[in-house]
Amino acid sequence: MKRSDRLIGMTYYILENPMQLISLPFFSEQYNAAKSSISEDLAIMNKMFQEEGIGYLESVSGAAGGVRYIPQSSNDKSETFIEMLCRRLEDPERLLPGGYLFMSDILGEPDTIREIGRLFASRFSSLGIEAIVTVATKGIPLAYAVATFLNVPVVIVRRDPKITEGSTVSINYVSGSTRKIQTMVLTKRSLKQGSTVCVIDDFMKAGGTIDGIKNLLKEFDAHVAAIGVLAEAEDEEDERVVEEYTSLVQITNVDVRNQQIEVHKGNFFNQ
Amino acid sequence: MKRSDRLIGMTYYILENPMQLISLPFFSEQYNAAKSSISEDLAIMNKMFQEEGIGYLESVSGAAGGVRYIPQSSNDKSETFIEMLCRRLEDPERLLPGGYLFMSDILGEPDTIREIGRLFASRFSSLGIEAIVTVATKGIPLAYAVATFLNVPVVIVRRDPKITEGSTVSINYVSGSTRKIQTMVLTKRSLKQGSTVCVIDDFMKAGGTIDGIKNLLKEFDAHVAAIGVLAEAEDEEDERVVEEYTSLVQITNVDVRNQQIEVHKGNFFNQ
C-alpha cells in the first residue's frame, strides 16, 4: 500500500480514537508496512495536526509503547469560536422571562457541540479524568462531546428516578435560582467508587445544581477534577456556591425590560 | 505543501464535515495546490474510504460543484458491531424488575454511541432528513450521533415544559407499557414547519412514545421519513402502534423469574 493511502487510513483511525494508546505493530500489521515507515507517517501526522491546530501525537516509548492522539484546539481557533458564540448569544430575541436565555438552537447543532467538547477536552486532557458527569437534560450533548475527545464514559444524574435503572443513590439540594428543594438521583452501578470525574453542564447561575452534583458524587467517593459550563450568568444576589469552574461565555447585564444583554468570553482563557 | 501533508489535513476536514458540499477551490486555496492535484487527492481518498468501509465521496459537477462525504458503515462492520451489542445485552444481570434491561453503561460509551449513529446515518443518508427528533433523556446521545453524521440539528421533545424555552406545543398520549396518560412538549421555535425529520430513540416496546412524537410532529407539519430505535422489545399484548421503523437489536423471551433473555439482530439488515 502506498504511503498516501496509508496516511488516510491512519488519520481516520487516530482521529476516531483520541487519548487511546495505539501500538506501532498494530498499524504495521493493518497496512502491511515496516515499523520505520509507520514511524515516519506518524511524524508527518504529528506535524500536520499541530499546523491545523487540532492537537498532537504523544509518543510513549518502551515495549508497551506507541502513540496517543491528544486533541487540542489552538488558541486562535478557540478564541474565534468563543467570540462567535458570544455574538450569537447576544441577540435580544433570545431573552426569555426570568432572565433566561434561549439556547436550544445552538445546543441542537452537532458541530457546535462537538467544538465545545473539543475545547473542554483540550483544557482537561491532562487531569486523568475517568468519567464525565452531567445532569439531565441540556448538559447531555455537551457531556458526550467532551467524553468523545477524552475517550471516557458519560454518567447521567437524573432528577426523576426511573424504574428501569436498578438501585440508586439520591440527595436533596436547593436550587439557587428557584430556592426550591429538588432531588437528584444516580444509579449505583453507573459510577465506580473513587473515580476522577469532570462535571459538565450548559448553564450555571448560583451553581446550586452543580453543588448538588458534587454532594451526590461524594457518596461515590469521586474526585471532581474539573467543572466545565458553557455559559455562566451573574447571580443577582451573588450567592455563588461553586467557586472553581471553567466557563466558555459569561452572560451579564441582562435587562429583560429594555431587551438588552451582554455576552463576554468566560474564564476559559484566564486559566 | 507535500501531498502527504495535504492528505492528512483534507482527511481531517472531510471527516469533520460529513454530508457537506466542499468546493475544490476551497481546498486549492487552503493548501495552495492546483485543482488537478486536489482532484487526485480526492480520488485517493474516495478509494481508501471505501476500502476502510467508512463511506465514499460523492462528486457534484458544475460551477457550484465539489465533493460531499457520505458516511457509510460496511455490512461486515455493521454486522460485527450489532452481534457484539447482542452478546453484551444478553447478560442476565441486565434484567431489571418489569422486564426492563439495564443499558445505561452501553449508552454511556461515546464510541459505541458514535458507531450506532454511523449505522443509522448510513441507512438514512439519502432521505433528505433536515432534523433529528428525540425525546428526553436516553435517546439524546443517539440522536446527536446520528445528527453529527447527517450534519443536521437535533430537536428534543420534553416530558416537562421548562420555563426557559418560550412558547410550546404539547400533546397528551398514552404510554403503551404503563397505560398512563403522559404529556409531551416541543418548543415552537425549535422546529421549522414542514421539515423532513428522523425520529431516534433508545428503546421501543409498544411504541406509544414514538407514536406520541409522531402526533406532536403533525402539529409542525413535519414529514417523518425514518424512525430508528436501538432496541425493540416484544410487547406481551402485541399492541404495537408503530409499524415502520429500523431497529438494531430485538429483545425476546424475557424471563425475569428464570433470569433469561434473548437478544437478536433487529430489522436493520432486512431493509
Side-chain angles (χ1 to χ4, degrees):
Chain A
M1 185 179 280
K2 283 193 199 160
R3 160 154 290 151
S4 52
D5 294 10
R6 205 167 58 217
L7 281 173
I8 294 166
M10 285 171 66
T11 300
Y12 168 75
Y13 190 88
I14 283 176
L15 290 172
E16 285 284 318
N17 294 283
M19 301 297 281
Q20 199 171 299
L21 189 66
I22 308 163
S23 73
L24 265 57
F26 170 80
F27 283 131
S28 275
E29 275 171 44
Q30 186 81 7
Y31 297 109
N32 196 16
K35 266 170 81 173
S36 58
S37 308
I38 300 290
S39 282
E40 280 172 43
D41 295 344
L42 293 169
I44 301 171
M45 223 177 275
N46 184 28
K47 191 195 71 181
M48 197 59 195
F49 279 15
Q50 291 181 50
E51 272 177 32
E52 297 270 330
I54 60 169
Y56 62 95
L57 299 184
E58 181 185 77
S59 291
V60 178
S61 52
V67 290
R68 186 185 277 129
Y69 166 45
I70 313 290
Q72 297 273 311
S73 184
S74 66
N75 273 344
D76 275 7
K77 272 195 167 182
S78 307
E79 205 148 348
T80 311
F81 176 77
I82 292 179
E83 280 294 344
M84 182 271 293
L85 261 185
C86 291
R87 295 299 79 73
R88 290 184 67 188
L89 287 169
E90 249 171 7
D91 180 354
E93 289 201 359
R94 295 187 173 276
L95 274 173
L96 293 168
Y100 286 96
L101 212 59
F102 181 78
M103 303 203 294
S104 293
D105 56 337
I106 290 176
L107 290 174
E109 298 167 357
D111 47 353
T112 304
I113 293 294
R114 198 165 152 82
E115 200 52 39
I116 295 170
R118 188 193 304 278
L119 260 61
F120 281 126
S122 293
R123 188 52 41 97
F124 303 149
S125 65
S126 63
L127 303 178
I129 286 160
E130 295 165 297
I132 308 292
V133 178
T134 192
V135 65
T137 310
K138 293 203 194 155
I140 296 176
L142 296 174
Y144 274 84
V146 181
T148 299
F149 286 110
L150 292 182
N151 189 29
V152 296
V154 175
V155 175
I156 300 173
V157 173
R158 299 184 67 116
R159 294 176 205 269
D160 57 324
K162 291 263 282 189
I163 55 157
T164 58
E165 289 279 314
S167 60
T168 57
V169 176
S170 75
I171 58 142
N172 294 320
Y173 72 102
V174 178
S175 157
S177 28
T178 64
R179 295 294 151 98
K180 270 191 275 184
I181 292 180
Q182 303 197 329
T183 306
M184 260 183 205
V185 189
L186 189 51
T187 308
K188 263 191 189 163
R189 57 169 143 174
S190 63
L191 185 64
K192 254 196 321 219
Q193 285 283 323
S195 301
T196 296
V197 305
C198 163
V199 176
I200 293 287
D201 209 357
D202 63 319
F203 193 80
M204 182 173 86
K205 222 166 169 176
T209 302
I210 286 177
D211 194 50
I213 297 177
K214 284 173 73 178
N215 283 321
L216 181 56
L217 287 171
K218 277 185 196 155
E219 301 295 320
F220 290 80
D221 284 331
H223 165 57
V224 179
I227 295 170
V229 294
L230 168 57
E232 59 166 314
E234 279 178 325
D235 187 40
E236 278 156 41
E237 285 150 52
D238 199 23
E239 295 188 348
R240 185 153 284 170
V241 288
V242 173
E243 290 300 332
E244 286 185 38
Y245 58 88
T246 302
S247 66
L248 295 196
V249 308
Q250 190 177 32
I251 299 169
T252 57
N253 297 323
V254 175
D255 182 345
V256 180
R257 197 175 303 169
N258 297 309
Q259 288 278 301
Q260 276 177 351
I261 179 174
E262 284 175 34
V263 183
H264 305 283
K265 285 188 286 187
N267 65 16
F268 185 84
F269 290 105
N270 312 344
Q271 294 174 330
Chain B
M1 186 178 281
K2 284 193 198 158
R3 160 153 291 153
S4 51
D5 294 11
R6 206 167 59 217
L7 281 174
I8 295 166
M10 285 171 66
T11 300
Y12 168 75
Y13 189 88
I14 283 176
L15 290 172
E16 285 285 316
N17 294 283
M19 300 296 282
Q20 199 171 298
L21 189 65
I22 308 164
S23 74
L24 266 57
F26 170 81
F27 283 130
S28 276
E29 276 170 42
Q30 185 81 6
Y31 297 109
N32 196 18
K35 266 171 77 174
S36 57
S37 307
I38 299 291
S39 282
E40 280 171 43
D41 295 344
L42 293 169
I44 300 172
M45 223 176 277
N46 185 27
K47 191 194 68 179
M48 197 61 194
F49 279 15
Q50 291 181 50
E51 273 177 33
E52 297 269 333
I54 60 169
Y56 63 96
L57 298 183
E58 180 185 78
S59 291
V60 179
S61 54
V67 290
R68 187 185 277 128
Y69 166 44
I70 314 290
Q72 297 274 312
S73 185
S74 65
N75 273 344
D76 276 6
K77 273 194 169 183
S78 309
E79 204 148 349
T80 310
F81 176 77
I82 292 179
E83 280 294 343
M84 183 269 294
L85 264 184
C86 291
R87 295 298 79 75
R88 290 184 68 188
L89 287 170
E90 249 171 4
D91 180 354
E93 290 202 357
R94 295 189 173 277
L95 274 174
L96 294 167
Y100 286 97
L101 212 59
F102 181 78
M103 303 203 294
S104 293
D105 56 337
I106 290 175
L107 290 174
E109 297 167 358
D111 47 353
T112 304
I113 293 294
R114 198 166 152 81
E115 201 52 39
I116 294 170
R118 187 194 305 277
L119 259 61
F120 282 125
S122 293
R123 186 54 41 97
F124 303 150
S125 64
S126 62
L127 303 178
I129 285 160
E130 295 167 296
I132 307 293
V133 179
T134 191
V135 65
T137 309
K138 293 204 195 154
I140 296 176
L142 296 173
Y144 274 84
V146 181
T148 299
F149 286 109
L150 292 183
N151 189 29
V152 296
V154 175
V155 175
I156 300 173
V157 174
R158 300 183 65 115
R159 293 176 205 269
D160 57 323
K162 292 262 286 189
I163 55 158
T164 59
E165 290 279 313
S167 60
T168 57
V169 176
S170 74
I171 59 142
N172 295 320
Y173 72 102
V174 178
S175 157
S177 28
T178 65
R179 296 292 152 97
K180 270 192 275 185
I181 291 180
Q182 305 197 328
T183 305
M184 261 185 205
V185 189
L186 189 52
T187 309
K188 263 193 188 160
R189 56 169 142 173
S190 64
L191 185 65
K192 253 196 322 219
Q193 286 283 321
S195 301
T196 296
V197 305
C198 163
V199 176
I200 293 287
D201 209 356
D202 63 320
F203 194 80
M204 183 173 86
K205 222 167 169 175
T209 303
I210 286 176
D211 195 50
I213 297 177
K214 283 173 73 178
N215 282 322
L216 181 56
L217 288 170
K218 277 186 197 154
E219 302 294 320
F220 290 81
D221 284 330
H223 165 57
V224 178
I227 295 170
V229 294
L230 168 57
E232 59 166 314
E234 279 178 323
D235 187 40
E236 279 156 42
E237 285 151 52
D238 199 24
E239 295 188 348
R240 184 154 283 169
V241 289
V242 172
E243 289 300 331
E244 285 185 38
Y245 60 88
T246 302
S247 66
L248 296 197
V249 307
Q250 190 177 30
I251 298 168
T252 56
N253 297 323
V254 175
D255 182 346
V256 180
R257 197 175 303 168
N258 298 309
Q259 289 277 302
Q260 276 177 350
I261 180 174
E262 283 175 34
V263 184
H264 305 282
K265 285 189 286 187
N267 65 16
F268 186 82
F269 290 106
N270 311 344
Q271 294 175 330

